[in-house]
Amino acid sequence: MSPVSQQGTQHVPWYRVAFTKRWLSYLLLTALFAGTCVALSNWQFARRDEAQQEIARVLTNYNAVPQPIESVLPQLDAFNQDDKWIPVTVTGTYLTEDQLIVRSRPREQVAGVEVLTPLRMSNGSVFMVNRGWLPANANPEDPYVIPEPPAGVVTVVARLKASEPSIPGRSMADGQLATIELPLIQEVLNQPTYIGAYGLLDSETPAPVETAPLPALKPSLDEGAHLSYAFQWIMFGILAFIGLGWAVRNEMRIRNSETEAGQAKLAEKARKRKTRPTEEDIEDAILDSQ
């Protein structure tokens, strides 16, 4: 494009605007923003993959035939994440005096706790059974009234879950836990304890005499909105470059408005606006046609 002179002004080509230091700085910032959007998009894709893997475990394991615990957990510290939700059978005696309360376990937007009861097997090993949910006390200092588990030898069917990580700054006090951290529980019980996984109670034989805590809810099969969030982050990155291009174009339009070609375009737009019929003209035309 050859420059056109008028009153000391010249037509400014796009590259003389886009490749200035200021706009190159904006381009760098836009690229950094777009790179962040891509990283967040990939994170959402990874979250979706994790959700799909969890759904696959639920569909495969949740309603499987219960297996003896020794066949799934051959050692006290053994646990394969792919075995999550598999039902296992465990026979032993509940150590009622060593029951624990797990704090901060809301259920359907209601504050509550979970009851964790050790089950000692005939070989002396202890398996932790999450017997279910209770509503939280109105006064946190009041002791919990825990329904008694079956006395004597009991056979439990429970679904496996991994030991939970510790929460910094939280410890066990007064028989209450902030998290189901099995190695910590083993230290407190001072007995050989399964530390790789614990079980969510499905059934007890014989059944408890008292009303048992509410059983755990079946895990959701909804993978969430991770896919739509991932595409949204991609669109944000693309829109950032579109916005940058629009800003460069807008500056070119302003800087070229004083050239001969720019003035001619403005004059042509003004002429078209004047010749364009107004709303009154359109209404009059309609009335005349009637």
Side-chain angles (χ1 to χ4, degrees):
M1 228 185 287
S2 60
V4 179
S5 300
Q6 182 191 21
Q7 298 178 350
T9 62
Q10 284 187 324
H11 178 83
V12 181
W14 68 269
Y15 52 84
R16 291 205 177 164
V17 176
F19 291 158
T20 60
K21 184 177 180 180
R22 176 166 62 94
W23 284 105
L24 287 175
S25 299
Y26 291 155
L27 176 61
L28 177 60
L29 291 175
T30 303
L32 290 174
F33 174 78
T36 302
C37 290
V38 171
L40 291 170
S41 175
N42 289 336
W43 176 65
Q44 288 293 344
F45 280 125
R47 292 286 305 278
R48 180 174 181 255
D49 289 342
E50 293 174 359
Q52 289 181 325
Q53 291 174 8
E54 181 66 9
I55 291 172
R57 291 190 192 100
V58 174
L59 294 175
T60 302
N61 297 341
Y62 195 84
N63 292 320
V65 177
Q67 305 177 40
I69 188 172
E70 295 84 1
S71 64
V72 184
L73 302 178
Q75 298 176 345
L76 297 182
D77 60 350
F79 183 65
N80 186 329
Q81 190 65 24
D82 289 336
D83 292 333
K84 184 179 181 181
W85 306 115
I86 282 184
V88 296
T89 57
V90 192
T91 299
T93 304
Y94 278 122
L95 303 179
T96 308
E97 65 280 4
D98 293 321
Q99 287 189 126
L100 300 168
I101 290 294
V102 187
R103 303 186 300 268
S104 303
R105 299 287 166 143
R107 180 187 175 110
E108 297 178 340
Q109 300 182 348
V110 178
V113 299
E114 291 176 351
V115 179
L116 202 62
T117 309
L119 183 71
R120 184 162 57 197
M121 303 161 58
S122 59
N123 61 7
S125 300
V126 173
F127 180 70
M128 301 304 299
V129 179
N130 186 328
R131 297 189 60 240
W133 182 89
L134 295 174
N137 288 335
N139 184 358
E141 298 181 357
D142 292 342
Y144 280 91
V145 179
I146 303 175
E148 289 289 330
V153 177
V154 58
T155 297
V156 167
V157 175
R159 293 184 173 88
L160 295 180
K161 286 192 71 176
S163 174
E164 298 176 359
S166 61
I167 299 178
R170 303 285 184 89
S171 60
M172 191 174 84
D174 302 326
Q176 296 189 8
L177 296 166
T179 179
I180 303 177
E181 184 184 357
L182 296 178
L184 174 62
I185 295 173
Q186 182 186 43
E187 292 179 8
V188 174
L189 296 179
N190 195 27
Q191 297 189 52
T193 304
Y194 282 88
I195 60 174
Y198 68 97
L200 294 176
L201 180 64
D202 179 66
S203 66
E204 298 168 308
T205 306
V209 176
E210 300 182 22
T211 302
L214 291 179
L217 296 174
K218 184 175 181 178
S220 173
L221 299 179
D222 182 9
E223 69 177 35
H226 302 299
L227 185 61
S228 62
Y229 290 155
F231 287 132
Q232 285 178 19
W233 282 117
I234 292 174
M235 289 303 303
F236 290 155
I238 294 173
L239 288 173
F241 284 106
I242 293 175
L244 179 66
W246 177 88
V248 172
R249 182 177 180 277
N250 189 56
E251 179 163 324
M252 285 178 54
R253 181 182 60 80
I254 294 173
R255 291 176 62 175
N256 289 323
S257 62
E258 299 298 325
T259 65
E260 182 179 349
Q263 291 292 326
K265 287 182 180 180
L266 291 176
E268 179 64 17
K269 288 182 179 179
R271 185 187 66 78
K272 288 182 177 180
R273 280 197 297 267
K274 289 181 179 180
T275 59
R276 187 179 302 154
T278 63
E279 291 184 1
E280 290 84 358
D281 294 336
I282 295 173
E283 289 177 358
D284 290 343
I286 294 173
L287 290 175
D288 291 343
S289 66
Q290 293 177 347

